[in-house]
Amino acid sequence: MKSNKKFAVIGGGSWATAIAKMLCENQEKIAWYMRSTYALEHLKQQKHNPNYLSSVAFDTNKLQLTNDINEAIQFADVVIFAIPSAFLSAELEKMTASLEGKIIFSAIKGIVPETSLIVGEHFHNIFSIPYENIGVITGPCHAEEVALERLSYLTIACADEEKAKYVAKNLASYYIKTKTSDDIVGTEYAAVLKNIYSIAAGIAHGLGYGDNFQAVLMSNAIREMKKFIRKVHKMKRNINDSAYLGDLLVTGYSVFSRNRMFGNMIGKGYTVKSAQMEMSMVAEGYYAVKSAYNLNLEYKAKTPIIDAVYQILYEGKNAKNIFSKLTEKLD
């Protein structure tokens, strides 16, 4: 595999900004697509994203900034998508550039609502990208800690180990440690499910449950995740690895977790709509729980936590009552 491949980042949010920062540690120039013309022009002039991780200063000579997704795709050999899954289809509809021969990596932690597929499967089924050209970037890693250059760990998954290693190498730095995996389906589903469990953790906090219950909730969540992923894609994996358990823990406990924040607001009595309006960032878990719940109608894994969050968010059931019942199902 050639070692001079070019990268593009698709997205203007906090995770896209963090990935652009990581890549700029290793690349002479990257393409960066963001939809907002205001943010783009501000970045050109002031050298930082005005909306997300604004403390991160960029050398704009290293950035080919564009609000044309096709320009970014044409520039790159490796395209990293880092936009909320709920908006992915709308962005891809703008695309006329071919993805043929491109290496596609997803940093999206959600399910595409229109197809109920994880992002890798979506690109494979809709755009005929071979699985050896599809990869996943997962944590445990919060964008805010990347901005602060606090030591963080990434797992880079791809069926083609060489491509996983190449992307891992270009994201690594003194504050980012990377490892690779061949479990592209499992790591991506884990990244989706941990957002749902993080909402559950937030709801519990908002309802007034303490640390003791949170520990029980998280230990049950990792076992529930294991059952779900095994049903979807059975292979040998250690669910206690950082890409699964580590990512779940940081999302469930961190003050930077937008899904936990969203859940906390629901637990305190906010409606879904009012919580979404008050938050400036998208809580991927809101969209993920509907897709996961519907998918599990087919797989029939035992998922009391997913079921509880679904009932609260989509059936409008009382959070206090649902969690009271949930406590009887956990051990």
Side-chain angles (χ1 to χ4, degrees):
M1 183 173 170
K2 293 180 180 177
S3 60
N4 58 347
K5 291 190 178 297
K6 296 178 181 177
F7 284 78
V9 178
I10 309 297
S14 57
W15 195 218
T17 304
I19 289 171
K21 172 180 168 61
M22 289 183 247
L23 288 173
C24 283
E25 302 281 3
N26 299 294
Q27 290 280 308
E28 290 183 10
K29 198 173 192 86
I30 66 166
W32 187 359
Y33 162 79
M34 55 177 66
R35 185 178 56 179
S36 168
T37 303
Y38 164 74
L40 200 72
E41 292 304 316
H42 190 280
L43 185 52
K44 287 178 181 177
Q45 302 287 331
Q46 304 298 327
K47 304 187 186 305
H48 68 263
N49 186 336
N51 301 321
Y52 302 95
L53 306 189
S54 56
S55 64
V56 177
F58 285 93
D59 177 355
T60 51
N61 293 319
K62 289 191 168 190
L63 303 176
Q64 181 165 321
L65 295 164
T66 179
N67 57 7
D68 180 355
I69 192 171
N70 297 295
E71 182 184 336
I73 288 169
Q74 287 167 347
F75 170 91
D77 305 295
V78 182
V79 185
I80 299 176
F81 285 85
I83 54 180
S85 58
F87 309 137
L88 179 63
S89 289
E91 290 300 321
L92 293 176
E93 283 175 7
K94 303 173 185 177
M95 194 175 64
T96 56
S98 173
L99 292 176
E100 187 176 354
K102 305 286 185 184
I103 300 167
I104 306 297
F105 267 76
S106 169
I108 301 170
K109 299 169 177 67
I111 292 175
V112 183
E114 292 82 357
T115 58
S116 294
L117 298 170
I118 52 175
V119 176
E121 291 174 337
H122 183 83
F123 276 106
H124 176 74
N125 290 8
I126 306 301
F127 295 95
S128 301
I129 308 295
Y131 275 119
E132 60 266 25
N133 280 356
I134 295 173
V136 178
I137 300 168
T138 188
C141 187
H142 277 304
E144 291 80 2
E145 292 205 350
V146 173
L148 295 168
E149 298 189 358
R150 290 179 177 169
L151 183 61
S152 303
Y153 291 70
L154 292 176
T155 299
I156 316 300
C158 185
D160 186 328
E161 186 181 10
E162 216 178 320
K163 287 166 185 161
K165 286 180 177 178
Y166 184 77
V167 172
K169 179 183 175 183
N170 280 278
L171 291 170
S173 66
Y174 75 90
Y175 58 91
I176 301 290
K177 293 188 181 294
T178 58
K179 61 180 285 188
T180 61
S181 168
D182 61 352
D183 184 16
I184 177 174
V185 175
T187 53
E188 189 163 6
Y189 268 107
V192 170
L193 295 173
K194 54 98 177 183
N195 286 333
I196 301 171
Y197 300 131
S198 178
I199 290 177
I203 293 173
H205 185 266
L207 289 170
Y209 288 90
D211 292 344
N212 294 340
F213 176 75
Q214 291 282 5
V216 172
L217 182 66
M218 288 293 100
S219 62
N220 277 263
I222 192 62
R223 282 177 275 153
E224 184 172 304
M225 179 189 287
K226 182 179 182 179
K227 291 172 188 173
F228 188 102
I229 296 174
R230 185 189 288 161
K231 288 274 190 180
V232 175
H233 182 64
K234 192 171 183 178
M235 69 172 283
K236 187 177 180 180
R237 63 174 63 86
N238 184 353
I239 204 72
N240 296 321
D241 278 353
S242 297
Y244 315 97
L245 177 58
D247 209 7
L248 169 66
L249 292 176
V250 74
T251 310
Y253 285 118
S254 176
V255 295
F256 293 127
S257 172
R258 66 195 71 173
N259 289 283
R260 191 179 193 279
M261 183 192 307
F262 175 75
N264 187 49
M265 293 167 77
I266 298 297
K268 288 182 180 297
Y270 282 72
T271 64
V272 168
K273 189 171 183 180
S274 61
Q276 288 174 324
M277 288 176 66
E278 188 157 320
M279 289 181 65
S280 61
M281 298 182 288
V282 174
E284 286 273 25
Y286 170 73
Y287 302 99
V289 70
K290 184 179 182 181
S291 298
Y293 179 85
N294 289 332
L295 186 64
N296 198 41
L297 295 175
E298 174 189 347
Y299 288 108
K300 295 180 171 57
K302 190 178 179 182
T303 56
I305 303 172
I306 292 174
D307 296 348
V309 176
Y310 177 83
Q311 288 165 1
I312 294 165
L313 298 186
Y314 285 92
E315 295 180 351
K317 294 188 177 178
N318 181 273
K320 185 176 181 179
N321 292 341
I322 293 297
F323 261 67
S324 179
K325 293 175 184 176
L326 178 62
T327 62
E328 298 301 319
K329 298 173 185 176
L330 305 180
D331 53 36

